[in-house]
Amino acid sequence: MVLAILIIYLLIIFLVGIWGNKFNNGVDDYLLAGRRLGTWFASFALVATLYGGGKVVGLSEQGFESGLVSWWNGIGGGIGFILISLIAYRMRKLALFTVPDYVMKRYNSNGLRIMCCLLSLIALLGILASQVFAASSILEMFGVGSMTGAVIVSVVFVLYTAIGGLWGATITDFIHIIIAAVGTIVTSIIVLVKAGGFGGLGQGIASVDTAEYLSITGNWNVSFMVWLALPLILYNMIGQDVYQRLFASKDGKTAKHSAFIAGIILIAITLFPVIIGMGARTLFPEETNSALALPLVVGEVLPDFLAGLVLAAVMAAIMSTANSILTAGTSHIVNDLYLNGVKKKELANGKTLDEKFLVKLSRTWTLILGAIAILVATILPSIVDGLLISYTLYTAGVFTPVIIGFLWKKGTKQGAYASFIIGLFVAILGIAGVSTFGIPIEVLSVVVALIVYFVVSLITYKGSQEVEESLEKVVGDK
């Protein structure tokens, strides 16, 4: 029954995603849903970019190991959305396609735009692979081999995303988030009841300090809280999957309100996977493998019908993030590398490109990115590791040129290049195991990038009219 429910759900979602293709009349529709998303569609689409396998499966694992402090991963994502709502109005008014488009507009540097594009693609593929990894680990519990499970789920979301584009992804996201939220909430309530309430979580386990386990601060383990939250805060302020939804909103006010609402929703619903993980450790005290937290609850605690619905909810969460990442990655390929790279001179000379060809090209690259993600998923050590490495690398290089460049008028192209390269270099060293003197690499890489940006910009800034006019185009409209 469990797999039957999942198969039915996958079939319904596949058909809905294909139905979204009826709205695709050109590349603008395919990549940005015609810039017509209303507040709630945009809000749910934003939540869907983060509430995926890395949240439902990954947070249940983290909750199993560390307790309530794990919620900071979800809180960080919500804070990132709330912060981006402060500049979403002006960002939407720029009517761009991608974050590298903004970099080009701000710094007038095609090289920097391409560097940001490539780093974003690497991060997006890491996040996408984490969703495939999550899907395979859940399906394996039901007797479907790891790679087989990854291929089954991946084929579904890759195909309906390739056919339906952002319209199809947005419509299915609306369904996914409702199913995912309801499924995880119901499961967490059942787990709490069986564990004897919130106070019963972690009780009777010799290796667990109950007070620390139930504390949102983890006895003020600040470095761990930062490790969980900061990458999400920073990433959500610059992620292409996030900005694509903002750019797809119908106007600036919609983008602003949607980002704020998405932040509140994300903070609320990410608590429930953490509770599920904590409950799994309480109900199965002999189990030490955190990766089995959610599978144990689904397979051993829930009746078959509910288990099927929850499995569908988990797959919904995974696919909601996966299709968001796919459309974001495709936007980079088609807009940044093809239209503004390969075909830039031709378009500048007045040549027009066939919209049908661009949609076909977009679909082809959606399929290619999906296939690459499956391969990457086979080498990931864990879901959370894959996500946090992706977030850390991207934010180390891109956060400062984008956000500080938006807020500070003296930021220069030279400062942006220097901060990108050195911030990324520091992040790579930290991930490789080089000592960071006890400072979380997520913090150190961004701080170094900020210092370099300010120093180099002040040295190279001349207060020229060109710099002032470039900035005015980007942030002049309040």
Side-chain angles (χ1 to χ4, degrees), residues 1-212:
M1 177 183 287
V2 174
L3 287 179
I5 293 173
L6 176 61
I7 291 170
I8 292 171
Y9 180 74
L10 292 176
L11 179 60
I12 292 172
I13 288 299
F14 181 73
L15 294 175
V16 171
I18 292 176
W19 177 75
N21 183 53
K22 68 180 292 186
F23 301 102
N24 291 323
N25 298 314
V27 72
D28 218 54
D29 289 325
Y30 188 87
L31 295 178
L32 290 176
R35 300 187 193 269
R36 295 192 291 269
L37 296 187
T39 300
W40 287 105
F41 264 130
S43 297
F44 277 51
L46 282 169
V47 175
T49 64
L50 237 65
Y51 198 65
K55 290 294 170 286
V56 178
V57 181
L59 281 182
S60 66
E61 291 182 17
Q62 199 66 59
F64 183 98
E65 292 181 356
S66 307
L68 192 60
V69 69
S70 306
W71 189 21
W72 277 101
N73 187 257
I75 293 173
I79 291 173
F81 281 146
I82 292 170
L83 290 176
I84 202 62
S85 72
L86 300 177
I87 62 173
Y89 177 85
R90 286 182 284 170
M91 279 293 192
R92 171 61 184 88
K93 291 201 66 156
L94 295 174
L96 303 174
F97 268 81
T98 65
V99 173
D101 273 349
Y102 162 80
V103 171
M104 180 67 188
K105 193 175 186 71
R106 172 64 176 84
Y107 298 103
N108 193 29
S109 171
N110 192 51
L112 188 61
R113 178 182 63 79
I114 292 174
M115 288 166 59
C116 290
C117 169
L118 295 177
L119 186 57
S120 180
L121 272 173
I122 292 171
L124 291 171
L125 283 172
I127 299 168
L128 182 58
S130 296
Q131 308 312 307
V132 178
F133 186 99
S136 66
S137 66
I138 291 296
L139 288 175
E140 188 175 17
M141 180 188 111
F142 294 94
V144 182
S146 186
M147 278 308 299
T148 303
V151 170
I152 290 172
V153 175
S154 298
V155 164
V156 173
F157 69 68
V158 170
L159 283 179
Y160 80 66
T161 305
I163 295 171
L166 190 60
W167 267 120
T170 300
I171 295 168
T172 54
D173 281 349
F174 198 83
I175 300 171
H176 285 325
I177 290 303
I178 293 173
I179 297 296
V182 171
T184 51
I185 290 171
V186 170
T187 304
S188 65
I189 291 173
I190 293 173
V191 166
L192 280 176
V193 170
K194 290 186 175 293
F198 184 78
L201 297 176
Q203 296 288 344
I205 304 174
S207 60
V208 171
D209 181 330
T210 305
E212 181 178 340

Side-chain angles (χ1 to χ4, degrees), residues 292 374 415 426 448:
L292 295 177
I374 295 174
V426 171
V448 170

Side-chain angles (χ1 to χ4, degrees), residues 23-35 37 96-98 161-162 164-170 240-241 243-249 323-324 326-336 339 355 358-359 361-363 365-366:
F23 301 102
N24 291 323
N25 298 314
V27 72
D28 218 54
D29 289 325
Y30 188 87
L31 295 178
L32 290 176
R35 300 187 193 269
L37 296 187
L96 303 174
F97 268 81
T98 65
T161 305
L166 190 60
W167 267 120
T170 300
Q240 169 58 25
D241 46 336
Y243 276 90
Q244 188 174 22
R245 273 71 188 160
L246 297 178
F247 294 149
S249 301
N323 62 33
S324 300
L326 275 174
T327 54
T330 300
S331 292
H332 281 318
I333 298 292
V334 175
N335 179 76
D336 297 318
L339 294 178
E355 288 286 330
L358 291 176
V359 172
L361 180 67
S362 299
R363 286 182 175 140
W365 273 102
T366 300

Side-chain angles (χ1 to χ4, degrees), residues 200-459:
L201 297 176
Q203 296 288 344
I205 304 174
S207 60
V208 171
D209 181 330
T210 305
E212 181 178 340
Y213 201 63
L214 297 178
S215 169
I216 194 172
T217 63
N219 281 352
W220 294 104
N221 188 346
V222 176
S223 62
F224 185 56
M225 293 162 63
V226 169
W227 178 78
L228 288 169
L230 188 63
L232 274 295
I233 294 175
L234 300 180
Y235 178 83
N236 274 8
M237 297 180 70
I238 56 172
Q240 169 58 25
D241 46 336
V242 174
Y243 276 90
Q244 188 174 22
R245 273 71 188 160
L246 297 178
F247 294 149
S249 301
K250 65 181 181 180
D251 53 39
K253 288 184 179 179
T254 300
K256 177 181 179 179
H257 296 156
S258 299
F260 185 83
I261 292 170
I264 300 301
I265 292 174
L266 188 66
I267 289 173
I269 64 177
T270 48
L271 170 63
F272 302 106
V274 175
I275 290 176
I276 292 171
M278 295 170 69
R281 186 162 189 181
T282 304
L283 297 175
F284 304 97
E286 301 302 319
E287 182 59 60
T288 58
N289 185 359
S290 63
L292 295 177
L294 186 61
L296 279 172
V297 170
V298 173
E300 303 293 334
V301 177
L302 303 180
D304 283 350
F305 179 72
L306 274 179
L309 291 178
V310 171
L311 181 60
V314 175
M315 292 301 117
I318 289 168
M319 290 189 290
S320 68
T321 291
N323 62 33
S324 300
I325 300 302
L326 275 174
T327 54
T330 300
S331 292
H332 281 318
I333 298 292
V334 175
N335 179 76
D336 297 318
L337 299 182
Y338 185 73
L339 294 178
N340 288 297
V342 176
K343 295 294 182 179
K344 184 177 182 179
K345 289 185 178 179
E346 294 180 22
L347 293 173
N349 292 330
K351 182 178 179 179
T352 58
L353 297 177
D354 182 12
E355 288 286 330
K356 290 185 178 179
F357 168 76
L358 291 176
V359 172
K360 186 176 181 179
L361 180 67
S362 299
R363 286 182 175 140
T364 300
W365 273 102
T366 300
L367 294 172
I368 293 171
L369 291 175
I372 293 173
I374 295 174
L375 295 177
V376 174
T378 63
I379 62 175
L380 283 180
S382 76
I383 297 168
V384 173
D385 285 345
L387 288 170
L388 292 179
I389 288 172
S390 299
Y391 295 145
T392 299
L393 290 175
Y394 183 61
T395 56
V398 179
F399 178 82
T400 299
V402 172
I403 298 301
I404 306 305
F406 189 89
L407 300 173
W408 189 50
K409 71 178 183 178
K410 293 187 178 182
T412 65
K413 175 173 65 177
Q414 294 87 346
Y417 266 110
S419 71
F420 181 100
I421 294 170
I422 295 177
L424 181 59
F425 180 70
V426 171
I428 292 173
L429 289 180
I431 291 171
V434 176
S435 173
T436 57
F437 309 102
I439 303 173
I441 191 60
E442 299 81 15
V443 175
L444 182 62
S445 59
V446 173
V447 169
V448 170
L450 284 169
I451 293 172
V452 170
Y453 183 77
F454 284 124
V455 171
V456 175
S457 291
L458 288 173
I459 293 173

